């Protein structure tokens, strides 16, 4: 189960990264713009990595670990398996109780990576999967857009914005199925082979 984050924070980070990426794309070198020297995005490329986040706000602590593995089954087309483990601890100052929850999700995402330059690609994907919050299962549909920034021959930084749509009993009233949606900003780091 993914926790939605705020759109202003996501837009601020993307606005910081985008100008340098666009400047690289506009350098005028035709071979550079085609991305011919890069193996990232070519058929047979394996990608592994993920993201880690921690949030401590007052009496609430959230740790989120998100390993992923992907494979380019065709040039520019990747199939990625994302696993997300979320640990939450809430300290109740009034009662002294400590409540912890553990949640996870498993999402399979096909994505398309369009080269803009040798070191920059645009990506679009649609993840489909399931999540569990300790009590209930849900269905997850996660459209995503972002950038692949190649920092070295085998390292990729991927800032992206996701729009998770979660459907399950945990989001409805009186045991009925309900829907929750949000906006999530992530920065992932991966290595390729």
């Amino acid at each position: 189960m993914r926790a939605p984050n705020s759109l202003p924070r996501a837009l601020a980070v993307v606005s910081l990264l985008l100008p340098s990426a666009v400047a690289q794309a506009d350098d005028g070198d035709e071979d550079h713009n085609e991305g011919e020297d890069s193996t990232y995005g070519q058929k047979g490329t394996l990608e592994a990595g993920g993201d880690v986040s921690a949030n401590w706000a007052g009496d609430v602590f959230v740790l989120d670990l998100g390993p992923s593995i992907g494979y380019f089954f065709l040039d520019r087309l990747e199939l990625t398996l994302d696993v997300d483990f979320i640990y939450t601890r809430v300290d109740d100052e009034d009662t002294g109780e400590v409540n912890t929850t553990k949640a996870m999700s498993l999402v399979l995402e096909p994505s398309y990576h369009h080269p803009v330059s040798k070191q920059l690609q645009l990506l679009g994907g649609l993840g489909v999967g399931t999540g569990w919050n300790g009590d209930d299962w849900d269905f997850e549909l996660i459209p995503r857009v972002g950038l692949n920034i190649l920092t070295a021959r085998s390292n990729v930084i991927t800032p992206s914005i996701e729009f998770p749509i979660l459907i399950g009993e945990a989001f409805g009233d009186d045991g009925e199925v309900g829907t929750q949606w949000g906006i999530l900003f992530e920065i992932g780091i991966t290595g390729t082979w």
Side-chain angles (χ1 to χ4, degrees), residues 158-186:
T158 304
S160 63
I161 299 175
E162 297 180 356
F163 305 93
I165 302 166
L166 311 177
I167 303 168
E169 289 182 8
F171 311 112
D173 296 326
D174 300 325
E176 293 183 12
V177 173
T179 302
Q180 177 182 353
W181 66 274
I183 298 172
L184 177 68
F185 176 75
E186 286 187 333

Side-chain angles (χ1 to χ4, degrees), residues 84-101:
D84 210 19
F85 301 101
I86 303 167
Y87 170 81
T88 305
R89 176 187 166 123
V90 180
D91 296 325
D92 188 334
E93 290 182 3
D94 296 333
T95 64
E97 291 183 20
V98 175
N99 296 314
T100 61
T101 59

